[in-house]
């Protein structure tokens, strides 16, 4: 039985960041790229990516950073910078020999910062989607409450 083909995580993340660099609204692509890096770091597959793909990924992260800073309205600039720096450090560490990699505690802290940024940007993206849609759920709940209050007032009469 043949082993399944494993996707090249570095290439997938690079595509996400490259797309983000071209988009007016880059958040979802950034979130996907950051999560791919963190997952690959946790599983250990980033170290098996070709070095040229890792360098492409680093360049894509740097090119997407300005657009992300501008789009991240609810996330402080220093948090974006710290998350991107952590992602770059994870990539840089993956090309090192194991004995020269960061200690486990530092590696875990980097992953935490990458995932924290991904979560914060994802939350902002979701808020923007809700705002664009007119917050239908909130309107629906408000209408339901008003209707329930009307029914309650009628039954008290």
């Amino acid at each position: 039985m043949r082993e399944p083909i494993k996707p090249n995580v570095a290439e997938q993340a690079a595509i996400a960041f490259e797309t983000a660099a071209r988009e007016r609204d880059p958040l979802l692509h950034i979130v996907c790229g950051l999560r791919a890096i963190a997952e690959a770091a946790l599983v250990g597959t980033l170290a098996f990516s070709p070095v040229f793909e890792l360098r492409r990924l680093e360049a894509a992260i740097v090119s997407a950073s300005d657009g992300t800073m501008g789009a991240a309205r609810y996330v402080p600039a220093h948090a974006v910078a710290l998350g991107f720096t952590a992602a770059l450090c994870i990539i840089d560490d993956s090309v090192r020999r194991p004995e020269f990699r960061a200690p486990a505690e530092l590696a875990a802290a980097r992953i935490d910062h990458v995932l924290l940024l991904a979560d914060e940007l994802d939350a902002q993206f979701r808020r923007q989607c809700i705002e664009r849609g007119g917050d239908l759920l909130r309107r629906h709940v408000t209408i339901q409450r008003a209707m329930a209050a009307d029914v309650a007032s009628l039954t008290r009469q």
Side-chain angles (χ1 to χ4, degrees):
M1 185 158 132
R2 293 175 56 184
E3 244 186 76
I5 297 172
K6 294 183 178 121
N8 183 342
V9 178
E11 181 182 21
Q12 290 178 339
I15 290 169
F17 283 103
E18 289 165 351
T19 304
R22 293 188 307 266
E23 295 285 321
R24 230 184 69 229
D25 189 8
L27 295 181
L28 189 58
H29 300 289
I30 296 296
V31 168
C32 291
L34 289 171
R35 288 193 175 141
I37 291 169
E39 181 182 340
L42 285 167
V43 177
T45 56
L46 202 58
F48 297 105
S49 295
V51 174
F52 75 91
E53 285 292 351
L54 294 171
R55 297 301 173 229
R56 174 185 172 197
L57 175 55
E58 288 173 331
I61 290 171
V62 170
S63 70
S65 63
D66 285 341
T68 305
M69 292 279 196
R73 293 185 313 199
Y74 303 115
V75 182
H78 69 274
V80 175
L82 188 58
F84 273 41
T85 300
L88 290 167
C89 288
I90 289 170
I91 295 162
D92 187 55
D93 223 28
S94 70
V95 297
R96 297 175 188 270
R97 292 200 331 241
E99 62 269 19
F100 296 114
R101 291 186 184 149
E105 298 84 15
L106 179 56
R110 289 172 176 167
I111 293 168
D112 288 342
H113 280 283
V114 167
L115 288 174
L116 183 61
L117 177 59
D119 289 346
E120 289 174 342
L121 293 175
D122 190 30
Q124 178 180 323
F125 175 77
R126 304 292 165 207
R127 281 188 202 99
Q128 288 173 340
C129 290
I130 290 169
E131 289 170 10
R132 274 189 289 246
D135 202 350
L136 296 175
L137 178 61
R138 191 177 310 265
R139 287 193 339 220
H140 176 76
V141 168
T142 302
I143 291 168
Q144 292 296 323
R145 286 181 180 162
M147 289 172 56
D150 283 348
V151 170
S153 70
L154 290 173
T155 56
R156 280 185 254 147
Q157 294 178 357

